[in-house]
Structure formats: C-alpha cells, structure tokens
C-alpha cells in the first residue's frame, strides 16, 4: 500500500520512535495516544486519508493487540466504533529503560532502604527543575507552561500545555516510567511537587495514567499576584 500523507503533530509534542511502526500507522497510534480515543472517521480526518485506509490500519493494529474498540452511543442506527490503545499499545511508546530503572530501585531498597530510592527519584525532578529555571530566566512568566511542556516532551512524556486566564492545564500523554510509578507511587508525588515549584503555583492532579486514565493531567492555578511566579 502506498504511503499515506501524514497529519502534522501537535507542535509541543516531540516526535517519538514507535517500536516496529512507521508512517501513517505510527501517526495513528500517536493520535490515539494524544486524544485517548477516536472513531475511524475522526482518525481519517486527522491523517488526511481515506476511511478505508484507516480501517485497514486499525484492523492490523487490533490483530497485533495494540488497539481495541467498543461501540459508542450514537442515536438511531448502528453506533460507530470508538478506538483506543490497549496496554500493549501504550507499551509501544518510549519508556526510558523503565524496567532496568525499576530493578535498580528495588536493589537500592534492599540494600539501603526505601527512603534512599525515593531520594533518588526526587533528585531527577530537582535536575529537571534547574533546567526549567534556566530556560525561563529571560521569558515572560505566562510562557513558563510552554517551557515545562517542552522539557517534559523531550523526556518522553508527550506533554502539552493549554493556557487559560486562571493558569492552564499540563497534560502528559505518555508515562515514560510507568513500571517505576507502579512500584514507587512516590514518583508521582515527586512529579507534582516539581510542577508546583516549577510554576510557583497551586497544582491539582486531574488524571493519572497508573490510575487507569489515558493521561496524567494537572490544573495549574496562577497566583493572584503575578510577581508571585518566579521569572
């Protein structure tokens, strides 16, 4: 089958390398990863290709076990199928050697105790926080969300930032350390604390991948006094 035209990805999402997938099929997986779920018609529009071509790719991905579907209520007539990634499909995205890291943390727990492992996880976010501060030194405070999202995207989180008058929402469409987070939920707390420091604002977690959601998302509430946000 001839290569299909690719739809442009969200600007704030860095290109990701998907195991065994390239071209339109990789783009389809990324669209599902970013959006959580979609009908075949919506996917065809996103990929700028025919409905039959998308259905072919979806069928192959279902056989592989990367995609699943269920009917969606849609008034009179046969309901359209809504497609989403399976756990295997989520596993195609970057995970930064998470199994090796998880095993090393388990070893650290066995030899030095759990607090030592948690401290190591927290140090990762302190280093990321320093990068945020360095890049935000010469930009307006309201652009801080863009910087945080871009740096997290480079780390494999597929992060996006949606600003609002009261602050904004940071959404991570991928968890590059899912196995680690399942064994060490402290990493999620460390991430939330990092975001609170990075934004200098109140952070409310709205969804969590390890809790069964399609994304990790945080609502950021800007301080009443703009000078309360670190430049």
């Amino acid at each position: 089958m001839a290569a299909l035209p690719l739809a442009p990805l969200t600007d704030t999402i860095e290109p990701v390398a998907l195991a065994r997938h390239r071209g339109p099929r990789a783009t389809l997986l990324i669209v599902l990863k970013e959006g959580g779920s979609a009908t075949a018609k919506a996917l065809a529009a996103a990929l700028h290709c025919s409905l039959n071509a998308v259905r072919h790719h979806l069928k192959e991905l279902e056989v592989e076990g990367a995609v699943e579907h269920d009917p969606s209520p849609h008034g009179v007539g046969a309901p359209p199928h809504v497609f989403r990634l399976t756990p295997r499909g989520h596993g195609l995205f970057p995970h930064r050697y998470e199994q090796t890291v998880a095993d090393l943390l388990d070893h650290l727990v066995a030899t030095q105790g759990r607090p030592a492992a948690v401290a190591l996880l927290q140090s990762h976010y302190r280093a990321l926080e320093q990068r945020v501060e360095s890049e935000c030194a010469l930009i307006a405070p309201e652009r801080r969300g863009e910087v945080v999202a871009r740096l997290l995207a480079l780390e494999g989180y597929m992060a996006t930032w949606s600003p609002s008058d009261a602050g904004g929402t940071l959404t991570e469409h991928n968890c590059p350390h899912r196995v680690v987070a399942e064994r060490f939920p402290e990493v999620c707390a460390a991430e939330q604390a990092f975001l609170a420091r990075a934004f200098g604002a109140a952070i409310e977690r709205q969804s969590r991948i390890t809790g069964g959601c399609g994304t990790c998302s945080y609502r950021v509430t800007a301080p009443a006094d703009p000078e309360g946000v670190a430049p």
Side-chain angles (χ1 to χ4, degrees), residues 61-79:
L61 289 169
E62 283 192 289
V63 170
E64 180 185 325
V67 168
E68 62 186 1
H69 74 270
D70 56 28
S72 173
H74 191 66
V76 180

PDB file of all heavy atoms in Angstrom, residues 61-79:
ATOM      1  N   LEU A  61      -3.726  -3.248  13.543  1.00  0.00           N
ATOM      2  CA  LEU A  61      -3.303  -2.922  14.906  1.00  0.00           C
ATOM      3  C   LEU A  61      -4.116  -3.692  15.940  1.00  0.00           C
ATOM      4  O   LEU A  61      -3.605  -4.037  17.012  1.00  0.00           O
ATOM      5  CB  LEU A  61      -3.429  -1.418  15.140  1.00  0.00           C
ATOM      6  CG  LEU A  61      -2.395  -0.556  14.396  1.00  0.00           C
ATOM      7  CD1 LEU A  61      -2.768   0.915  14.479  1.00  0.00           C
ATOM      8  CD2 LEU A  61      -0.997  -0.785  14.965  1.00  0.00           C
ATOM      9  N   GLU A  62      -5.385  -3.984  15.623  1.00  0.00           N
ATOM     10  CA  GLU A  62      -6.195  -4.803  16.531  1.00  0.00           C
ATOM     11  C   GLU A  62      -5.676  -6.240  16.553  1.00  0.00           C
ATOM     12  O   GLU A  62      -5.614  -6.867  17.613  1.00  0.00           O
ATOM     13  CB  GLU A  62      -7.656  -4.768  16.105  1.00  0.00           C
ATOM     14  CG  GLU A  62      -8.369  -3.484  16.481  1.00  0.00           C
ATOM     15  CD  GLU A  62      -9.868  -3.592  16.315  1.00  0.00           C
ATOM     16  OE1 GLU A  62     -10.335  -3.629  15.151  1.00  0.00           O
ATOM     17  OE2 GLU A  62     -10.578  -3.625  17.335  1.00  0.00           O
ATOM     18  N   VAL A  63      -5.314  -6.766  15.390  1.00  0.00           N
ATOM     19  CA  VAL A  63      -4.747  -8.118  15.328  1.00  0.00           C
ATOM     20  C   VAL A  63      -3.462  -8.185  16.154  1.00  0.00           C
ATOM     21  O   VAL A  63      -3.193  -9.165  16.853  1.00  0.00           O
ATOM     22  CB  VAL A  63      -4.476  -8.524  13.865  1.00  0.00           C
ATOM     23  CG1 VAL A  63      -3.670  -9.815  13.800  1.00  0.00           C
ATOM     24  CG2 VAL A  63      -5.788  -8.679  13.106  1.00  0.00           C
ATOM     25  N   GLU A  64      -2.681  -7.121  16.079  1.00  0.00           N
ATOM     26  CA  GLU A  64      -1.432  -7.050  16.847  1.00  0.00           C
ATOM     27  C   GLU A  64      -1.690  -6.926  18.344  1.00  0.00           C
ATOM     28  O   GLU A  64      -0.830  -7.254  19.170  1.00  0.00           O
ATOM     29  CB  GLU A  64      -0.630  -5.841  16.359  1.00  0.00           C
ATOM     30  CG  GLU A  64       0.692  -5.617  17.061  1.00  0.00           C
ATOM     31  CD  GLU A  64       1.353  -4.340  16.601  1.00  0.00           C
ATOM     32  OE1 GLU A  64       1.220  -3.989  15.411  1.00  0.00           O
ATOM     33  OE2 GLU A  64       2.016  -3.686  17.433  1.00  0.00           O
ATOM     34  N   GLY A  65      -2.885  -6.456  18.707  1.00  0.00           N
ATOM     35  CA  GLY A  65      -3.204  -6.274  20.122  1.00  0.00           C
ATOM     36  C   GLY A  65      -2.859  -4.894  20.647  1.00  0.00           C
ATOM     37  O   GLY A  65      -2.857  -4.670  21.858  1.00  0.00           O
ATOM     38  N   ALA A  66      -2.585  -3.950  19.725  1.00  0.00           N
ATOM     39  CA  ALA A  66      -2.206  -2.603  20.148  1.00  0.00           C
ATOM     40  C   ALA A  66      -3.403  -1.676  20.281  1.00  0.00           C
ATOM     41  O   ALA A  66      -3.317  -0.649  20.956  1.00  0.00           O
ATOM     42  CB  ALA A  66      -1.207  -2.004  19.155  1.00  0.00           C
ATOM     43  N   VAL A  67      -4.507  -2.025  19.615  1.00  0.00           N
ATOM     44  CA  VAL A  67      -5.701  -1.178  19.594  1.00  0.00           C
ATOM     45  C   VAL A  67      -6.922  -2.041  19.875  1.00  0.00           C
ATOM     46  O   VAL A  67      -6.980  -3.211  19.487  1.00  0.00           O
ATOM     47  CB  VAL A  67      -5.837  -0.474  18.219  1.00  0.00           C
ATOM     48  CG1 VAL A  67      -7.203   0.182  18.069  1.00  0.00           C
ATOM     49  CG2 VAL A  67      -4.744   0.574  18.049  1.00  0.00           C
ATOM     50  N   GLU A  68      -7.907  -1.461  20.549  1.00  0.00           N
ATOM     51  CA  GLU A  68      -9.171  -2.134  20.795  1.00  0.00           C
ATOM     52  C   GLU A  68     -10.304  -1.154  20.527  1.00  0.00           C
ATOM     53  O   GLU A  68     -10.073   0.054  20.392  1.00  0.00           O
ATOM     54  CB  GLU A  68      -9.249  -2.634  22.245  1.00  0.00           C
ATOM     55  CG  GLU A  68      -9.190  -1.533  23.284  1.00  0.00           C
ATOM     56  CD  GLU A  68      -9.133  -2.055  24.703  1.00  0.00           C
ATOM     57  OE1 GLU A  68      -9.118  -3.291  24.881  1.00  0.00           O
ATOM     58  OE2 GLU A  68      -9.110  -1.224  25.643  1.00  0.00           O
ATOM     59  N   HIS A  69     -11.530  -1.663  20.448  1.00  0.00           N
ATOM     60  CA  HIS A  69     -12.652  -0.774  20.183  1.00  0.00           C
ATOM     61  C   HIS A  69     -13.898  -1.245  20.915  1.00  0.00           C
ATOM     62  O   HIS A  69     -13.999  -2.390  21.335  1.00  0.00           O
ATOM     63  CB  HIS A  69     -12.942  -0.706  18.673  1.00  0.00           C
ATOM     64  CG  HIS A  69     -13.613  -1.941  18.131  1.00  0.00           C
ATOM     65  ND1 HIS A  69     -12.900  -3.013  17.633  1.00  0.00           N
ATOM     66  CD2 HIS A  69     -14.929  -2.283  18.026  1.00  0.00           C
ATOM     67  CE1 HIS A  69     -13.728  -3.958  17.231  1.00  0.00           C
ATOM     68  NE2 HIS A  69     -14.966  -3.537  17.459  1.00  0.00           N
ATOM     69  N   ASP A  70     -14.815  -0.322  21.077  1.00  0.00           N
ATOM     70  CA  ASP A  70     -16.145  -0.657  21.558  1.00  0.00           C
ATOM     71  C   ASP A  70     -17.129   0.318  20.927  1.00  0.00           C
ATOM     72  O   ASP A  70     -16.744   1.395  20.475  1.00  0.00           O
ATOM     73  CB  ASP A  70     -16.234  -0.631  23.087  1.00  0.00           C
ATOM     74  CG  ASP A  70     -15.799   0.695  23.671  1.00  0.00           C
ATOM     75  OD1 ASP A  70     -15.920   1.745  23.004  1.00  0.00           O
ATOM     76  OD2 ASP A  70     -15.326   0.694  24.817  1.00  0.00           O
ATOM     77  N   PRO A  71     -18.415  -0.059  20.850  1.00  0.00           N
ATOM     78  CA  PRO A  71     -19.391   0.834  20.230  1.00  0.00           C
ATOM     79  C   PRO A  71     -19.669   2.045  21.105  1.00  0.00           C
ATOM     80  O   PRO A  71     -19.599   1.976  22.337  1.00  0.00           O
ATOM     81  CB  PRO A  71     -20.632  -0.052  20.078  1.00  0.00           C
ATOM     82  CG  PRO A  71     -20.478  -1.089  21.139  1.00  0.00           C
ATOM     83  CD  PRO A  71     -19.002  -1.341  21.266  1.00  0.00           C
ATOM     84  N   SER A  72     -19.954   3.162  20.472  1.00  0.00           N
ATOM     85  CA  SER A  72     -20.271   4.389  21.190  1.00  0.00           C
ATOM     86  C   SER A  72     -21.721   4.756  20.930  1.00  0.00           C
ATOM     87  O   SER A  72     -22.174   4.713  19.789  1.00  0.00           O
ATOM     88  CB  SER A  72     -19.360   5.531  20.716  1.00  0.00           C
ATOM     89  OG  SER A  72     -19.752   6.763  21.284  1.00  0.00           O
ATOM     90  N   PRO A  73     -22.511   5.099  21.969  1.00  0.00           N
ATOM     91  CA  PRO A  73     -23.913   5.506  21.751  1.00  0.00           C
ATOM     92  C   PRO A  73     -23.977   6.648  20.738  1.00  0.00           C
ATOM     93  O   PRO A  73     -23.261   7.627  20.844  1.00  0.00           O
ATOM     94  CB  PRO A  73     -24.351   5.974  23.144  1.00  0.00           C
ATOM     95  CG  PRO A  73     -23.440   5.257  24.092  1.00  0.00           C
ATOM     96  CD  PRO A  73     -22.121   5.167  23.375  1.00  0.00           C
ATOM     97  N   HIS A  74     -24.864   6.489  19.741  1.00  0.00           N
ATOM     98  CA  HIS A  74     -24.880   7.495  18.665  1.00  0.00           C
ATOM     99  C   HIS A  74     -26.276   7.598  18.054  1.00  0.00           C
ATOM    100  O   HIS A  74     -26.441   7.548  16.845  1.00  0.00           O
ATOM    101  CB  HIS A  74     -23.858   7.112  17.591  1.00  0.00           C
ATOM    102  CG  HIS A  74     -23.606   8.207  16.597  1.00  0.00           C
ATOM    103  ND1 HIS A  74     -23.008   9.391  16.915  1.00  0.00           N
ATOM    104  CD2 HIS A  74     -23.897   8.271  15.267  1.00  0.00           C
ATOM    105  CE1 HIS A  74     -22.917  10.142  15.835  1.00  0.00           C
ATOM    106  NE2 HIS A  74     -23.458   9.488  14.819  1.00  0.00           N
ATOM    107  N   GLY A  75     -27.286   7.680  18.900  1.00  0.00           N
ATOM    108  CA  GLY A  75     -28.638   7.865  18.401  1.00  0.00           C
ATOM    109  C   GLY A  75     -29.144   6.643  17.643  1.00  0.00           C
ATOM    110  O   GLY A  75     -28.842   5.502  17.964  1.00  0.00           O
ATOM    111  N   VAL A  76     -29.904   6.906  16.582  1.00  0.00           N
ATOM    112  CA  VAL A  76     -30.519   5.837  15.796  1.00  0.00           C
ATOM    113  C   VAL A  76     -29.489   5.206  14.862  1.00  0.00           C
ATOM    114  O   VAL A  76     -28.637   5.886  14.308  1.00  0.00           O
ATOM    115  CB  VAL A  76     -31.701   6.397  14.982  1.00  0.00           C
ATOM    116  CG1 VAL A  76     -32.357   5.293  14.154  1.00  0.00           C
ATOM    117  CG2 VAL A  76     -32.727   7.031  15.915  1.00  0.00           C
ATOM    118  N   GLY A  77     -29.594   3.897  14.693  1.00  0.00           N
ATOM    119  CA  GLY A  77     -28.697   3.206  13.772  1.00  0.00           C
ATOM    120  C   GLY A  77     -27.517   2.565  14.490  1.00  0.00           C
ATOM    121  O   GLY A  77     -27.377   2.651  15.709  1.00  0.00           O
ATOM    122  N   ALA A  78     -26.685   1.903  13.707  1.00  0.00           N
ATOM    123  CA  ALA A  78     -25.520   1.221  14.272  1.00  0.00           C
ATOM    124  C   ALA A  78     -24.536   2.236  14.837  1.00  0.00           C
ATOM    125  O   ALA A  78     -24.176   3.200  14.159  1.00  0.00           O
ATOM    126  CB  ALA A  78     -24.840   0.376  13.200  1.00  0.00           C
ATOM    127  N   PRO A  79     -24.099   2.048  16.062  1.00  0.00           N
ATOM    128  CA  PRO A  79     -23.168   3.012  16.667  1.00  0.00           C
ATOM    129  C   PRO A  79     -21.778   2.891  16.059  1.00  0.00           C
ATOM    130  O   PRO A  79     -21.358   1.801  15.670  1.00  0.00           O
ATOM    131  CB  PRO A  79     -23.155   2.595  18.138  1.00  0.00           C
ATOM    132  CG  PRO A  79     -23.463   1.133  18.121  1.00  0.00           C
ATOM    133  CD  PRO A  79     -24.432   0.941  16.968  1.00  0.00           C
TER     134      PRO A  79
END
